[in-house]
Amino acid sequence: MIKEKAGVVPLKVLETDRLILRWQTAEDADFVLKLMNEPSWIRFIGDRGLRTTEDARNYILNGAGAMYASHGFGLYLAEQKEGNVPIGLCGLIKRDSLEDVDIGFAFLPAYWGKGYAYEAASAVLAHGKEVVGLKRIVAITNPDNASSANLLKKIGLQDKGMITLPNDTKEVKFFAIEF
């Protein structure tokens, strides 16, 4: 777990034309709570059971924080450069249920259709290849999530069909890119 001190600036990982992608911190708990309780998050990604700011804080520290500590990457908070407004999450995830690292993203609906997810996901994909040194990146989506599937194809991942993850019963769409 990563310990935080008051006034510590979160680690900036990537910068695009309009966005900064940085490590999540406990101070992002209210935003994470809001995002993960969006109907679209619950429908396409799943209910993580976060109901309070404290739940979200623990989720950040034990999820993203633990992944940053063990792998050096994770889901990054995407914020607009202008005003440092948090708008989504995008990053690399190492799940126990997948052999490869996967790319994931979710944005508040107010920011859909404006190119933010493409901008963030393109930068994260390049970072995974060039900085992290990954030879293959995968992704999974809910079969009903056409927008995410289209974005994954747009950044270069190929649809590899349906898979069922271990300890799950629902099939998901599987995508991959090799470098």
Side-chain angles (χ1 to χ4, degrees):
M1 182 181 330
I2 295 175
K3 296 193 178 197
E4 298 177 30
K5 296 178 187 169
V8 173
V9 177
L11 179 65
K12 181 171 82 171
V13 179
L14 295 166
E15 188 171 332
T16 68
D17 288 343
R18 300 179 294 166
L19 299 172
I20 291 172
L21 283 89
R22 62 166 177 80
W23 283 15
Q24 297 175 61
T25 71
E27 282 72 36
D28 299 315
D30 287 333
F31 170 76
V32 168
L33 180 66
K34 178 180 177 181
L35 180 64
M36 290 190 180
N37 281 288
E38 278 291 329
S40 56
W41 178 290
I42 292 169
R43 176 177 175 211
F44 293 127
I45 299 171
D47 188 348
R48 297 294 187 250
L50 305 183
R51 301 295 178 258
T52 67
T53 300
E54 189 61 27
D55 290 344
R57 186 175 290 111
N58 289 331
Y59 185 86
I60 291 166
L61 295 175
N62 297 317
M67 195 164 294
Y68 303 148
S70 63
H71 297 291
F73 57 77
L75 274 177
Y76 307 123
L77 185 106
E79 59 186 13
Q80 292 176 314
K81 280 184 183 177
E82 192 173 316
N84 298 101
V85 177
I87 65 170
L89 299 173
C90 184
L92 299 169
I93 308 154
K94 180 57 189 112
R95 302 175 200 269
D96 293 338
S97 57
L98 288 172
E99 184 177 328
D100 297 292
V101 171
D102 74 297
I103 186 169
F105 47 83
F107 287 78
L108 290 173
Y111 300 95
W112 293 358
K114 296 175 170 46
Y116 289 114
Y118 174 77
E119 192 173 318
S122 297
V124 166
L125 192 68
H127 178 78
K129 176 185 176 188
E130 297 161 14
V131 178
V132 180
L134 299 172
K135 302 293 182 215
R136 176 174 149 112
I137 295 175
V138 301
I140 54 173
T141 66
N142 179 306
D144 298 331
N145 193 343
S147 295
S148 287
N150 289 338
L151 176 58
L152 290 168
K153 291 176 194 171
K154 189 174 178 181
I155 63 170
L157 280 78
Q158 295 179 327
D159 187 338
K160 300 292 187 178
M162 303 290 285
I163 64 167
T164 303
L165 297 174
N167 303 317
D168 207 342
T169 56
K170 294 183 224 158
E171 282 191 317
V172 293
K173 287 187 90 165
F174 184 72
F175 298 82
I177 186 170
E178 296 190 31
F179 305 111

